[in-house]
């Protein structure tokens, strides 16, 4: 009965049926530990518990945003990473990043361009290139990256509930 109820409620809650079953078992064990007695009408309790866990899962999924899994770029690799589509998306991502860097305020474009240089410069080399002290480079880099992060987050809408984009 638990498996059937979980299967029925899981898709609407956006969770796996097994996760829902496990959460209900946990609730039952917590109840048994707290009260020491099993529910009087187990079938009714089970239905209510599954629906309550499904509601909790929906509320949680509305607040949580998972990180996207993006593997590291391997230009000579085989498979999907070496595909033309991946190369195109990678180049588009670099263009978007470079365009956002140029729109950052103050010294940020120069700082971020130096940080993104393919030569992989050290802090000492970057500070010398920009004509600033090495000690002020770290805080300036943090401010510039924060500004860039906010700009890029505003350009990419967060996925909405059930895959819809806001």
């Amino acid at each position: 009965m638990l498996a059937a109820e979980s299967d029925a409620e899981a898709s609407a809650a956006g969770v796996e049926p097994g996760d829902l079953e496990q959460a209900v078992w946990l609730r039952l064990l917590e109840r048994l530990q707290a009260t020491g007695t099993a529910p009087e009408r187990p079938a009714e309790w089970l239905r209510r518990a599954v629906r309550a866990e499904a509601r909790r899962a929906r509320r949680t999924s509305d607040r949580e945003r998972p990180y996207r899994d993006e593997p590291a770029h391997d230009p000579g690799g085989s498979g999907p990473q070496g595909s033309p589509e991946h190369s195109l998306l990678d180049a588009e991502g670099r263009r978007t990043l470079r365009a956002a860097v140029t729109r950052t305020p103050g010294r940020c474009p120069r700082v971020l361009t130096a940080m993104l240089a393919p030569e992989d410069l050290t802090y000492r080399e970057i500070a010398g290139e920009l004509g600033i002290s090495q000690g002020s480079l770290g805080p300036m880099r943090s401010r510039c990256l924060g500004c860039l992060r906010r700009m890029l987050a505003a350009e990419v809408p967060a996925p909405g509930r059930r895959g819809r984009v806001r």
Side-chain angles (χ1 to χ4, degrees), residues 120-152:
D120 196 24
L121 303 172
T122 64
Y123 265 38
R124 178 176 287 166
E125 293 168 334
I126 293 171
E129 183 180 310
L130 298 175
I132 60 175
S133 71
Q134 187 175 344
S136 66
L137 183 59
M140 186 181 299
R141 173 190 154 272
S142 293
R143 285 191 301 274
C144 293
L145 285 174
C147 181
L148 182 64
R149 190 177 299 116
R150 286 187 299 275
M151 288 173 68
L152 290 173

Side-chain angles (χ1 to χ4, degrees), residues 24-154:
V24 172
W25 277 115
L26 181 62
R27 296 293 166 245
L28 178 62
L29 291 174
E30 289 172 347
R31 177 191 166 96
L32 291 174
Q33 185 179 15
T35 64
T37 61
E40 287 182 28
R41 291 177 275 177
E44 185 179 319
W45 180 88
L46 185 83
R47 283 187 197 99
R48 282 188 287 126
V50 169
R51 288 188 182 109
E53 285 303 318
R55 281 192 306 272
R56 185 197 55 77
R58 275 192 298 273
R59 283 192 310 268
T60 302
S61 69
D62 286 345
R63 291 188 299 261
E64 292 179 348
R65 297 288 174 241
Y67 289 112
R68 289 186 354 206
D69 294 327
E70 292 183 353
H73 177 62
D74 183 14
S78 62
Q81 288 183 348
S83 69
E85 294 86 5
H86 183 3
S87 298
L88 178 69
L89 291 172
D90 196 32
E92 184 179 341
R94 283 194 305 273
R95 277 193 301 275
T96 303
L97 177 63
R98 295 286 180 185
V101 164
T102 60
R103 293 190 317 265
T104 55
R107 291 183 176 176
C108 288
R110 291 184 63 211
V111 171
L112 293 172
T113 300
M115 293 285 183
L116 293 170
E119 296 86 36
D120 196 24
L121 303 172
T122 64
Y123 265 38
R124 178 176 287 166
E125 293 168 334
I126 293 171
E129 183 180 310
L130 298 175
I132 60 175
S133 71
Q134 187 175 344
S136 66
L137 183 59
M140 186 181 299
R141 173 190 154 272
S142 293
R143 285 191 301 274
C144 293
L145 285 174
C147 181
L148 182 64
R149 190 177 299 116
R150 286 187 299 275
M151 288 173 68
L152 290 173

